[in-house]
Amino acid sequence: MNAYDKHKQEPTARLADYFLTRRQFLNRAGMGFGALGLAALFGEGVFLNDAPAAQAAADSMLPRTPHFPAKAKHVVHIFAQGAPSHVDTWDPKPSLTKYDGKAISGADGVAMASPFKFSKHGQCGIEVSEVFPKLGEMVDDLCVVRSCYTDIPAHEVATVFMNTGSSRLARPSLGSWVLYGLGSENQNLPGYISLRPGGPPPGGSANWQSAFLPGTYQGVSINTKVTAVDQLIENIRNPYIPLKEQRRQLDLVHQLNELHAQNLQKDADLEARLQSYEMAFKMQTEATDAFNIAKEPAAVRDAYGRTSQGNQLLIARRLIERGVRFVQVWAGGWDHHQDIEDRLPERAKEIDQPLAAFIADLKQRNLFDETLVIWGGEFGRKPVKDRNGNDNPGRDHNAKAFTTLLAGGGVKGGTVYGATDEFGAAAIVDKVHIHDLHATMLALLGFDHKKLTYRYNGRDFRLTDVAGSVVKGIMA
Amino acid sequence: MRNPKPQTTNTKETPKTKLQTASWSRGALWGFGDWNFFGVCCLVFSVWRCEAADLTPAQTQFFENKIRPVLAEHCYQCHSTRAEKVRGGLLLDTREGVLKGGETGPAVVPSDPEKSLLIKAVRYTDPDLQMPPKDKKLSAHQIADLETWVKLGAPDPRIASAAQKAWKDSSKDHWAWQPLTRPVVPETKDAAWPKTPVDNFILAKLEEKNLKPNPPADQRTLIRRTTFDLLGLPPTTAEVDAFLNDESPDAFAKVVDRLLASPRYGERWGRHWLDVARYSDTKGQIRRQREDPNYPYAWTYRDYVIKSFNDDKPYNIFIIEQLAADKLPATKRNPTNLTALGFLTVGDRFMGMPNDIINDRIDVVTKGFLGLTVSCARCHDHKFDPIPTKDYYSLHGIFASTTEPAVETVVQKIENTPDYLDYYKQRNQLEDKKEQLEKEFRDLRRTRDREKLREVQRAIRQNAGAVARLEMTHAGAPMRAMRVQDSTRPHDSPVFIRGEAQNRGPVVPRRFLEILSPPNRPALTNGSGRLELAHALVNPANPLTPRVMINRLWQHHFGEGFVTTPDDLGTMSEPPSHPELLDYLASRFVAEGWRLKQIHRLILLSSVYQQSSANNPRYAQVDPNNRLLWRANIQRLEFEALRDSLLAIGGSLDERMYGRPVNLERNPDSTRRTIYGTVDRSDVLDVLLNFDFANPDMPSGKRYKTFVPQQALFLMNSPVVVEQAKRVVSLKAFEDCVNDTARIQFLYERIYQRPARADELHLGLEFVAQTPITEMSMPAADAALPRSGDRPRRPGAQQMPRFQKNRPAATQKRAPLTGWQEYAHALLQANEASFVN
């Protein structure tokens, strides 16, 4: 029992004569706050699952049951930001080799053969580029969706679009929706954590924002460039006073807040801030442990590769294990306008072994079937040479085709879904728009994307706006 | 698949469609098949425009009787803007859709049934193309009617999709581009409440809904609110007392005037503008092998902004200087004016891609001054607002004709001090070295010796770093401006089709936006045209510039603007809550010389600003977001105001103004105001990110408001906060307090600007009395956790409070706090210290 739990059992007796106890107070505050988010949830009758309703209303982060039973309970989204070239990774195009250097119809410019060899892997015999040797070995677990497409081939817009389903307006991110729908299985850690190896990605916090959903559903972004655990989350420990004493101090803060709020009556912001303090307090013990990959056996660390991405994925696994609902792992750098032959393999190498190790690790721990793993970028690249590439060519942006990998809970492994045209210029068979991808992810988690809604400014909003169809061919 | 090139025989311009251009017809080729979701928006324009008026009544009748019913019944389910999922990218519910076709090409070639895919499909002759699908073949006479219709040239009265119509209408009707009016100040039933005309407008709306404004806030709340609002700092106890003791009727007006005259005002409101100006001290995306990432002189722009706000520089001049200070006669006399041009130059450098840099400048100018998202029109006509791609490239020409000198211009008088001479010598050495290295690089390029090339490149990079360091640190380095200038050969830009620089369309003259111009708008030919552009922005006939600024002002005073999207007043924005008041203020703003302080004063002296923030559950039902302002909004302090106020409370705020930025990560003990902290767009400090700092990569007129646990952790654990708590209880005034009650009262006055109530006093006394006398004892579980230490600790760093990651100091154990220190720290953590009500 840690200091905090112990303390919880000791009511602040003398103060209680005058004021609400902390527990009473928190319950009340939690109720008030939960009611804000969940009023829409239940009041609109869009999220009906009788039993946990009353309980969930008491705390908006408690776990909830989705619309229908589903295998996937967690999501790990590895965001290959920068837009990986699909024709050099997961979507082989022999015609590009055939017409290398020649003008091809349907694209401005001359075809550029992939500098990389593809070969068949696994039982399923899916062709994988040589840049992904380890992932190739796992291909029987992967669903390779080759027919993805998006709206606007500009990084920031498309990145935010991939995460929120909206390119212009501030909308909640996928992770926020998932957290809103499912709650979290760990009340001492944020339910939605975004790991980035350095500065913010294009779009910054718009990528993990909760927008009009209550602030508690926002992703917590953590810079993993730092390796020491107690520096990973800044200010994670108090250098002056022990936890027990800090608990006493925090109780005072809550009581002061309660008196302050009495004068102003209920205010959502004030209550959101109060909840963030409780979460912060609990994180001090829980997060330092969850993020401490030094506790992993050397063999596991070696398997993941002891690299930036390896560490991120290892943290992701530790978080999933602890019940965190949604982890996003930023693994970008794929914007290869030039030098694709040298630079793309570098990026691929960064993620190849860690991701293969991650999937193997999940399987070993029986987490694979309940975790939805996604790898992909915000759009794809053109089959022709980028004109700015000159001698060391690369490929320009292409919104009409890209590949996304799905694996884990509820996903049909060892499958290719959809296809692009002869050159990979555009998805043509079984096209999957971002909204369709979102609808499918929600379906894999047990939600009807049309019914997971939130009322805001008089309108019921949903992740897929007015679009999206579930892609059944991806689902096992 | 791309659609074949359309015939353009019908693109004859008519007065109604004069916006239409050849470039749009090319633009229409852009992969519409992929735009299911945005299909509606993208189909806005098309080339085969044939007005309904062109049809004979018989043609219309034929279509309405024979064709539309067939299409509606058998095709629309999958091929209309209302289809749940549009199949094959084909839309048959508009004339444009029919002619443009879907992924396989135009559905109808007018007058040629044999080449029309629609006819082929309904005939069921091709096994791969049969429509309607699943053996629901049309009847023979329905097929014959369709064939006849195509032979007739496919006369179609459906001139526009819904979105197209909206776009056309919006160009006329959207409120934001209507001329500015001076609405009549409305009468109100309650004649006593309004103190200024502002109140009449507010009260009239409230009375419409049978709502009453809140009673006035008490004086302490009011002075706290106003001081934070204008200065970003709390009032001192003496200032509060002076206000409370001033019984004259204009006591509050005196407070407002005092605050508006304070130099702290520019530091507060200048920062709001820097959010819009996407200010950063670094370049963002650069070729790191060759360039240094710093802007050594971005701060001169920041200082220009602060000074302009403090001087109450008329906003029109402020705009003109930021766009074209180099072209003003006054600049010859006062070269520091050139620092204003940092507005254009402090953006990201996008690896040196000129068109991206130009795009950034178009973006900041149009969002910042006009509240228009013109950059959306880079690749295609704006989907919602009447901004054609041609307009974008008219502005593009202006910025493509604008260059930056290789070396920033010195804007201060040089005196031959020893410092300067030393600087001068060093700089010249570095310049010589640069020249030599660049020559070496050029020569080596011919040999293609990669190894050697890399080496020279590294040397160039190091030299650039040395220049930047010299400029950023040397005491003798003179102040410079990040100026721009007109290129020697100003030129117009062609439209880049789909935004691709290599894909050139017609050349368009440098001009202002059509939607904001009189007919026959002139080309801008004075050099790049920047000065003329600036004049167009501040032309009183342009209603957007004053509306946008007044909206920004209102937003910062009340927490939400009339329009909730301050950088976008286009058709996608929500309508303003008080359009008449917005116009009233905007028109006065212009008429009275574009001076902000007068408008601040007018707003602050209104009853609406001075009402209390108390909630009213019944009203909250009617107007949950308080759009009608029946109460004052409770506002969370931004990070700058929070940190600055902690420093002020601790008595450690360093009030020095201006100058080189302080890296708050490396100098965590700095007590300069936060606006003087370095902003690195490529690695924004975590503490700033966690507190919703404005994104320095784009104009950000409004910050997000989140409550993530890292904010709480900062207040709970950061030495930056705790050290101020320790300081406040070591102040002499605290030590002089006669008893514990007086101590608590002192802290309440100091931190919350009010006395503690009985229950609060009781809580405080109990807390302090119960504080255990502790030794620093971490729980056993904690001790097992790894300590930091993968970086060597800097000598002398352990006592420095630090902001950010990589800081061993923050996790070092420190002496335990006394009861009073803990108590003061609790007061700083409580909501009241972070919110203004």
mmCIF file of all heavy atoms in Angstrom, chain A residues 2-37:
data_model
loop_
_atom_site.group_PDB
_atom_site.id
_atom_site.type_symbol
_atom_site.label_atom_id
_atom_site.label_comp_id
_atom_site.label_asym_id
_atom_site.label_seq_id
_atom_site.Cartn_x
_atom_site.Cartn_y
_atom_site.Cartn_z
ATOM 1 N N ASN A 2 0.673 2.082 -0.943
ATOM 2 C CA ASN A 2 1.521 3.270 -0.975
ATOM 3 C C ASN A 2 0.954 4.368 -0.071
ATOM 4 O O ASN A 2 -0.119 4.235 0.504
ATOM 5 C CB ASN A 2 1.713 3.774 -2.411
ATOM 6 C CG ASN A 2 0.410 4.235 -3.027
ATOM 7 O OD1 ASN A 2 -0.498 4.693 -2.318
ATOM 8 N ND2 ASN A 2 0.308 4.115 -4.340
ATOM 9 N N ALA A 3 1.697 5.399 0.010
ATOM 10 C CA ALA A 3 1.329 6.471 0.942
ATOM 11 C C ALA A 3 -0.050 7.028 0.616
ATOM 12 O O ALA A 3 -0.833 7.346 1.511
ATOM 13 C CB ALA A 3 2.364 7.573 0.858
ATOM 14 N N TYR A 4 -0.308 7.073 -0.640
ATOM 15 C CA TYR A 4 -1.577 7.684 -1.026
ATOM 16 C C TYR A 4 -2.762 6.826 -0.607
ATOM 17 O O TYR A 4 -3.711 7.296 0.001
ATOM 18 C CB TYR A 4 -1.589 7.907 -2.540
ATOM 19 C CG TYR A 4 -2.954 8.193 -3.089
ATOM 20 C CD1 TYR A 4 -3.710 9.266 -2.616
ATOM 21 C CD2 TYR A 4 -3.500 7.365 -4.058
ATOM 22 C CE1 TYR A 4 -4.968 9.510 -3.101
ATOM 23 C CE2 TYR A 4 -4.755 7.610 -4.552
ATOM 24 C CZ TYR A 4 -5.496 8.676 -4.065
ATOM 25 O OH TYR A 4 -6.739 8.910 -4.560
ATOM 26 N N ASP A 5 -2.668 5.518 -0.892
ATOM 27 C CA ASP A 5 -3.779 4.642 -0.524
ATOM 28 C C ASP A 5 -4.003 4.633 0.982
ATOM 29 O O ASP A 5 -5.124 4.660 1.460
ATOM 30 C CB ASP A 5 -3.498 3.220 -1.011
ATOM 31 C CG ASP A 5 -3.645 3.145 -2.524
ATOM 32 O OD1 ASP A 5 -4.456 3.936 -3.063
ATOM 33 O OD2 ASP A 5 -2.953 2.350 -3.141
ATOM 34 N N LYS A 6 -2.913 4.619 1.682
ATOM 35 C CA LYS A 6 -2.994 4.590 3.132
ATOM 36 C C LYS A 6 -3.717 5.850 3.596
ATOM 37 O O LYS A 6 -4.616 5.810 4.428
ATOM 38 C CB LYS A 6 -1.575 4.561 3.692
ATOM 39 C CG LYS A 6 -1.483 3.958 5.061
ATOM 40 C CD LYS A 6 -0.038 3.614 5.299
ATOM 41 C CE LYS A 6 0.265 3.697 6.785
ATOM 42 N NZ LYS A 6 1.716 3.702 7.004
ATOM 43 N N HIS A 7 -3.318 6.916 2.993
ATOM 44 C CA HIS A 7 -3.886 8.168 3.411
ATOM 45 C C HIS A 7 -5.385 8.234 3.148
ATOM 46 O O HIS A 7 -6.138 8.813 3.922
ATOM 47 C CB HIS A 7 -3.194 9.318 2.678
ATOM 48 C CG HIS A 7 -3.694 10.651 3.125
ATOM 49 N ND1 HIS A 7 -3.213 11.242 4.260
ATOM 50 C CD2 HIS A 7 -4.656 11.455 2.636
ATOM 51 C CE1 HIS A 7 -3.850 12.386 4.424
ATOM 52 N NE2 HIS A 7 -4.728 12.545 3.465
ATOM 53 N N LYS A 8 -5.790 7.600 2.078
ATOM 54 C CA LYS A 8 -7.204 7.661 1.721
ATOM 55 C C LYS A 8 -8.091 7.124 2.834
ATOM 56 O O LYS A 8 -9.252 7.469 2.941
ATOM 57 C CB LYS A 8 -7.439 6.830 0.440
ATOM 58 C CG LYS A 8 -7.137 7.603 -0.820
ATOM 59 C CD LYS A 8 -7.860 7.042 -2.016
ATOM 60 C CE LYS A 8 -7.294 5.679 -2.382
ATOM 61 N NZ LYS A 8 -7.643 5.304 -3.769
ATOM 62 N N GLN A 9 -7.510 6.231 3.639
ATOM 63 C CA GLN A 9 -8.335 5.611 4.674
ATOM 64 C C GLN A 9 -8.368 6.433 5.950
ATOM 65 O O GLN A 9 -9.011 6.065 6.919
ATOM 66 C CB GLN A 9 -7.809 4.204 4.959
ATOM 67 C CG GLN A 9 -7.947 3.330 3.720
ATOM 68 C CD GLN A 9 -7.317 1.985 3.908
ATOM 69 O OE1 GLN A 9 -6.486 1.800 4.795
ATOM 70 N NE2 GLN A 9 -7.720 1.043 3.084
ATOM 71 N N GLU A 10 -7.632 7.501 5.959
ATOM 72 C CA GLU A 10 -7.623 8.323 7.169
ATOM 73 C C GLU A 10 -8.371 9.628 6.908
ATOM 74 O O GLU A 10 -7.802 10.560 6.379
ATOM 75 C CB GLU A 10 -6.173 8.665 7.560
ATOM 76 C CG GLU A 10 -5.305 7.456 7.741
ATOM 77 C CD GLU A 10 -3.826 7.819 7.799
ATOM 78 O OE1 GLU A 10 -3.516 9.021 7.652
ATOM 79 O OE2 GLU A 10 -3.005 6.928 7.974
ATOM 80 N N PRO A 11 -9.631 9.649 7.241
ATOM 81 C CA PRO A 11 -10.369 10.885 6.999
ATOM 82 C C PRO A 11 -9.767 12.036 7.801
ATOM 83 O O PRO A 11 -9.281 11.846 8.911
ATOM 84 C CB PRO A 11 -11.785 10.564 7.449
ATOM 85 C CG PRO A 11 -11.660 9.368 8.325
ATOM 86 C CD PRO A 11 -10.437 8.637 7.907
ATOM 87 N N THR A 12 -9.793 13.187 7.233
ATOM 88 C CA THR A 12 -9.276 14.354 7.945
ATOM 89 C C THR A 12 -10.333 14.796 8.947
ATOM 90 O O THR A 12 -11.112 15.707 8.723
ATOM 91 C CB THR A 12 -8.973 15.485 6.947
ATOM 92 O OG1 THR A 12 -10.089 15.574 6.055
ATOM 93 C CG2 THR A 12 -7.741 15.198 6.145
ATOM 94 N N ALA A 13 -10.321 14.090 10.078
ATOM 95 C CA ALA A 13 -11.450 14.121 11.000
ATOM 96 C C ALA A 13 -11.798 15.513 11.499
ATOM 97 O O ALA A 13 -12.941 15.938 11.453
ATOM 98 C CB ALA A 13 -11.154 13.215 12.180
ATOM 99 N N ARG A 14 -10.817 16.242 11.895
ATOM 100 C CA ARG A 14 -11.153 17.518 12.534
ATOM 101 C C ARG A 14 -11.712 18.507 11.520
ATOM 102 O O ARG A 14 -12.657 19.234 11.801
ATOM 103 C CB ARG A 14 -9.925 18.078 13.231
ATOM 104 C CG ARG A 14 -9.527 17.202 14.406
ATOM 105 C CD ARG A 14 -8.393 17.814 15.166
ATOM 106 N NE ARG A 14 -8.720 19.144 15.650
ATOM 107 C CZ ARG A 14 -7.794 20.015 16.006
ATOM 108 N NH1 ARG A 14 -6.526 19.708 15.898
ATOM 109 N NH2 ARG A 14 -8.145 21.211 16.452
ATOM 110 N N LEU A 15 -11.111 18.513 10.379
ATOM 111 C CA LEU A 15 -11.621 19.427 9.366
ATOM 112 C C LEU A 15 -13.022 19.029 8.933
ATOM 113 O O LEU A 15 -13.846 19.865 8.590
ATOM 114 C CB LEU A 15 -10.701 19.417 8.142
ATOM 115 C CG LEU A 15 -9.334 20.055 8.382
ATOM 116 C CD1 LEU A 15 -8.459 19.836 7.160
ATOM 117 C CD2 LEU A 15 -9.511 21.540 8.643
ATOM 118 N N ALA A 16 -13.270 17.726 8.988
ATOM 119 C CA ALA A 16 -14.561 17.246 8.513
ATOM 120 C C ALA A 16 -15.708 17.815 9.340
ATOM 121 O O ALA A 16 -16.850 17.842 8.902
ATOM 122 C CB ALA A 16 -14.597 15.729 8.546
ATOM 123 N N ASP A 17 -15.394 18.250 10.561
ATOM 124 C CA ASP A 17 -16.454 18.865 11.358
ATOM 125 C C ASP A 17 -16.951 20.144 10.698
ATOM 126 O O ASP A 17 -18.067 20.568 10.896
ATOM 127 C CB ASP A 17 -15.933 19.202 12.763
ATOM 128 C CG ASP A 17 -15.482 17.939 13.478
ATOM 129 O OD1 ASP A 17 -15.915 16.848 13.044
ATOM 130 O OD2 ASP A 17 -14.693 18.052 14.428
ATOM 131 N N TYR A 18 -16.093 20.735 9.944
ATOM 132 C CA TYR A 18 -16.463 22.023 9.357
ATOM 133 C C TYR A 18 -16.786 21.910 7.868
ATOM 134 O O TYR A 18 -17.552 22.678 7.340
ATOM 135 C CB TYR A 18 -15.310 23.018 9.525
ATOM 136 C CG TYR A 18 -14.990 23.273 10.965
ATOM 137 C CD1 TYR A 18 -14.013 22.534 11.623
ATOM 138 C CD2 TYR A 18 -15.712 24.238 11.677
ATOM 139 C CE1 TYR A 18 -13.736 22.759 12.960
ATOM 140 C CE2 TYR A 18 -15.434 24.466 13.008
ATOM 141 C CZ TYR A 18 -14.445 23.723 13.658
ATOM 142 O OH TYR A 18 -14.179 23.952 14.956
ATOM 143 N N PHE A 19 -16.137 20.974 7.237
ATOM 144 C CA PHE A 19 -16.252 20.929 5.774
ATOM 145 C C PHE A 19 -16.551 19.516 5.322
ATOM 146 O O PHE A 19 -16.442 18.572 6.070
ATOM 147 C CB PHE A 19 -14.942 21.393 5.129
ATOM 148 C CG PHE A 19 -14.549 22.760 5.581
ATOM 149 C CD1 PHE A 19 -13.535 22.934 6.505
ATOM 150 C CD2 PHE A 19 -15.240 23.869 5.108
ATOM 151 C CE1 PHE A 19 -13.203 24.193 6.926
ATOM 152 C CE2 PHE A 19 -14.888 25.127 5.528
ATOM 153 C CZ PHE A 19 -13.867 25.295 6.452
ATOM 154 N N LEU A 20 -16.846 19.421 4.063
ATOM 155 C CA LEU A 20 -16.960 18.109 3.439
ATOM 156 C C LEU A 20 -15.622 17.404 3.567
ATOM 157 O O LEU A 20 -14.574 18.039 3.503
ATOM 158 C CB LEU A 20 -17.238 18.291 1.944
ATOM 159 C CG LEU A 20 -18.538 18.948 1.578
ATOM 160 C CD1 LEU A 20 -18.512 19.285 0.101
ATOM 161 C CD2 LEU A 20 -19.681 18.001 1.879
ATOM 162 N N THR A 21 -15.662 16.100 3.731
ATOM 163 C CA THR A 21 -14.386 15.395 3.661
ATOM 164 C C THR A 21 -13.938 15.423 2.217
ATOM 165 O O THR A 21 -14.722 15.670 1.303
ATOM 166 C CB THR A 21 -14.518 13.924 4.077
ATOM 167 O OG1 THR A 21 -15.336 13.272 3.122
ATOM 168 C CG2 THR A 21 -15.096 13.797 5.462
ATOM 169 N N ARG A 22 -12.679 15.135 2.063
ATOM 170 C CA ARG A 22 -12.144 15.151 0.711
ATOM 171 C C ARG A 22 -12.887 14.153 -0.169
ATOM 172 O O ARG A 22 -13.214 14.402 -1.312
ATOM 173 C CB ARG A 22 -10.654 14.790 0.747
ATOM 174 C CG ARG A 22 -9.958 14.954 -0.579
ATOM 175 C CD ARG A 22 -8.517 14.549 -0.454
ATOM 176 N NE ARG A 22 -8.414 13.141 -0.171
ATOM 177 C CZ ARG A 22 -8.452 12.213 -1.118
ATOM 178 N NH1 ARG A 22 -8.584 12.557 -2.364
ATOM 179 N NH2 ARG A 22 -8.351 10.947 -0.818
ATOM 180 N N ARG A 23 -13.154 12.984 0.452
ATOM 181 C CA ARG A 23 -13.810 11.948 -0.321
ATOM 182 C C ARG A 23 -15.209 12.389 -0.749
ATOM 183 O O ARG A 23 -15.581 12.273 -1.917
ATOM 184 C CB ARG A 23 -13.866 10.669 0.507
ATOM 185 C CG ARG A 23 -14.576 9.524 -0.160
ATOM 186 C CD ARG A 23 -14.305 8.246 0.598
ATOM 187 N NE ARG A 23 -12.943 7.805 0.377
ATOM 188 C CZ ARG A 23 -12.635 6.764 -0.398
ATOM 189 N NH1 ARG A 23 -13.572 6.101 -1.004
ATOM 190 N NH2 ARG A 23 -11.399 6.393 -0.573
ATOM 191 N N GLN A 24 -15.947 12.903 0.218
ATOM 192 C CA GLN A 24 -17.288 13.397 -0.128
ATOM 193 C C GLN A 24 -17.183 14.444 -1.213
ATOM 194 O O GLN A 24 -17.926 14.456 -2.181
ATOM 195 C CB GLN A 24 -17.952 14.048 1.092
ATOM 196 C CG GLN A 24 -18.438 13.092 2.134
ATOM 197 C CD GLN A 24 -18.840 13.841 3.398
ATOM 198 O OE1 GLN A 24 -18.239 14.858 3.755
ATOM 199 N NE2 GLN A 24 -19.856 13.339 4.068
ATOM 200 N N PHE A 25 -16.192 15.282 -0.997
ATOM 201 C CA PHE A 25 -16.046 16.384 -1.918
ATOM 202 C C PHE A 25 -15.713 15.909 -3.328
ATOM 203 O O PHE A 25 -16.310 16.310 -4.310
ATOM 204 C CB PHE A 25 -14.951 17.323 -1.405
ATOM 205 C CG PHE A 25 -14.525 18.285 -2.432
ATOM 206 C CD1 PHE A 25 -15.433 19.225 -2.912
ATOM 207 C CD2 PHE A 25 -13.261 18.243 -2.972
ATOM 208 C CE1 PHE A 25 -15.059 20.103 -3.893
ATOM 209 C CE2 PHE A 25 -12.898 19.116 -3.941
ATOM 210 C CZ PHE A 25 -13.799 20.049 -4.409
ATOM 211 N N LEU A 26 -14.775 14.979 -3.372
ATOM 212 C CA LEU A 26 -14.372 14.496 -4.694
ATOM 213 C C LEU A 26 -15.518 13.770 -5.376
ATOM 214 O O LEU A 26 -15.733 13.899 -6.566
ATOM 215 C CB LEU A 26 -13.162 13.570 -4.577
ATOM 216 C CG LEU A 26 -11.845 14.288 -4.333
ATOM 217 C CD1 LEU A 26 -10.715 13.289 -4.275
ATOM 218 C CD2 LEU A 26 -11.591 15.316 -5.426
ATOM 219 N N ASN A 27 -16.232 12.992 -4.591
ATOM 220 C CA ASN A 27 -17.374 12.314 -5.183
ATOM 221 C C ASN A 27 -18.334 13.316 -5.792
ATOM 222 O O ASN A 27 -18.846 13.145 -6.879
ATOM 223 C CB ASN A 27 -18.112 11.469 -4.133
ATOM 224 C CG ASN A 27 -17.350 10.182 -3.845
ATOM 225 O OD1 ASN A 27 -16.463 9.812 -4.611
ATOM 226 N ND2 ASN A 27 -17.687 9.534 -2.759
ATOM 227 N N ARG A 28 -18.539 14.360 -5.024
ATOM 228 C CA ARG A 28 -19.470 15.368 -5.510
ATOM 229 C C ARG A 28 -18.957 16.031 -6.771
ATOM 230 O O ARG A 28 -19.655 16.180 -7.750
ATOM 231 C CB ARG A 28 -19.660 16.433 -4.430
ATOM 232 C CG ARG A 28 -21.095 16.649 -4.088
ATOM 233 C CD ARG A 28 -21.206 17.871 -3.228
ATOM 234 N NE ARG A 28 -21.001 19.064 -4.041
ATOM 235 C CZ ARG A 28 -20.910 20.254 -3.513
ATOM 236 N NH1 ARG A 28 -20.946 20.410 -2.210
ATOM 237 N NH2 ARG A 28 -20.768 21.291 -4.288
ATOM 238 N N ALA A 29 -17.691 16.385 -6.679
ATOM 239 C CA ALA A 29 -17.110 17.079 -7.830
ATOM 240 C C ALA A 29 -17.108 16.152 -9.041
ATOM 241 O O ALA A 29 -17.441 16.539 -10.148
ATOM 242 C CB ALA A 29 -15.692 17.514 -7.502
ATOM 243 N N GLY A 30 -16.746 14.897 -8.766
ATOM 244 C CA GLY A 30 -16.713 13.929 -9.867
ATOM 245 C C GLY A 30 -18.078 13.805 -10.502
ATOM 246 O O GLY A 30 -18.214 13.781 -11.717
ATOM 247 N N MET A 31 -19.087 13.770 -9.655
ATOM 248 C CA MET A 31 -20.449 13.654 -10.164
ATOM 249 C C MET A 31 -20.779 14.844 -11.043
ATOM 250 O O MET A 31 -21.307 14.704 -12.138
ATOM 251 C CB MET A 31 -21.406 13.595 -8.970
ATOM 252 C CG MET A 31 -22.841 13.373 -9.334
ATOM 253 S SD MET A 31 -23.113 11.672 -9.839
ATOM 254 C CE MET A 31 -23.266 10.885 -8.246
ATOM 255 N N GLY A 32 -20.411 16.005 -10.522
ATOM 256 C CA GLY A 32 -20.732 17.205 -11.290
ATOM 257 C C GLY A 32 -20.031 17.198 -12.627
ATOM 258 O O GLY A 32 -20.623 17.448 -13.653
ATOM 259 N N PHE A 33 -18.798 16.822 -12.572
ATOM 260 C CA PHE A 33 -18.018 16.866 -13.798
ATOM 261 C C PHE A 33 -18.474 15.789 -14.772
ATOM 262 O O PHE A 33 -18.713 16.049 -15.939
ATOM 263 C CB PHE A 33 -16.540 16.665 -13.460
ATOM 264 C CG PHE A 33 -15.696 16.741 -14.670
ATOM 265 C CD1 PHE A 33 -15.548 17.952 -15.309
ATOM 266 C CD2 PHE A 33 -15.093 15.622 -15.190
ATOM 267 C CE1 PHE A 33 -14.780 18.049 -16.445
ATOM 268 C CE2 PHE A 33 -14.326 15.711 -16.322
ATOM 269 C CZ PHE A 33 -14.163 16.923 -16.948
ATOM 270 N N GLY A 34 -18.616 14.576 -14.204
ATOM 271 C CA GLY A 34 -19.048 13.481 -15.068
ATOM 272 C C GLY A 34 -20.358 13.818 -15.740
ATOM 273 O O GLY A 34 -20.552 13.532 -16.912
ATOM 274 N N ALA A 35 -21.207 14.448 -14.986
ATOM 275 C CA ALA A 35 -22.518 14.741 -15.533
ATOM 276 C C ALA A 35 -22.419 15.640 -16.766
ATOM 277 O O ALA A 35 -23.214 15.536 -17.682
ATOM 278 C CB ALA A 35 -23.389 15.401 -14.472
ATOM 279 N N LEU A 36 -21.418 16.467 -16.764
ATOM 280 C CA LEU A 36 -21.269 17.352 -17.924
ATOM 281 C C LEU A 36 -21.079 16.561 -19.193
ATOM 282 O O LEU A 36 -21.770 16.741 -20.174
ATOM 283 C CB LEU A 36 -20.022 18.235 -17.743
ATOM 284 C CG LEU A 36 -20.162 19.415 -16.824
ATOM 285 C CD1 LEU A 36 -18.825 20.101 -16.731
ATOM 286 C CD2 LEU A 36 -21.226 20.354 -17.348
ATOM 287 N N GLY A 37 -20.080 15.640 -19.125
ATOM 288 C CA GLY A 37 -19.791 14.858 -20.312
ATOM 289 C C GLY A 37 -20.873 13.842 -20.580
ATOM 290 O O GLY A 37 -21.281 13.630 -21.703
#
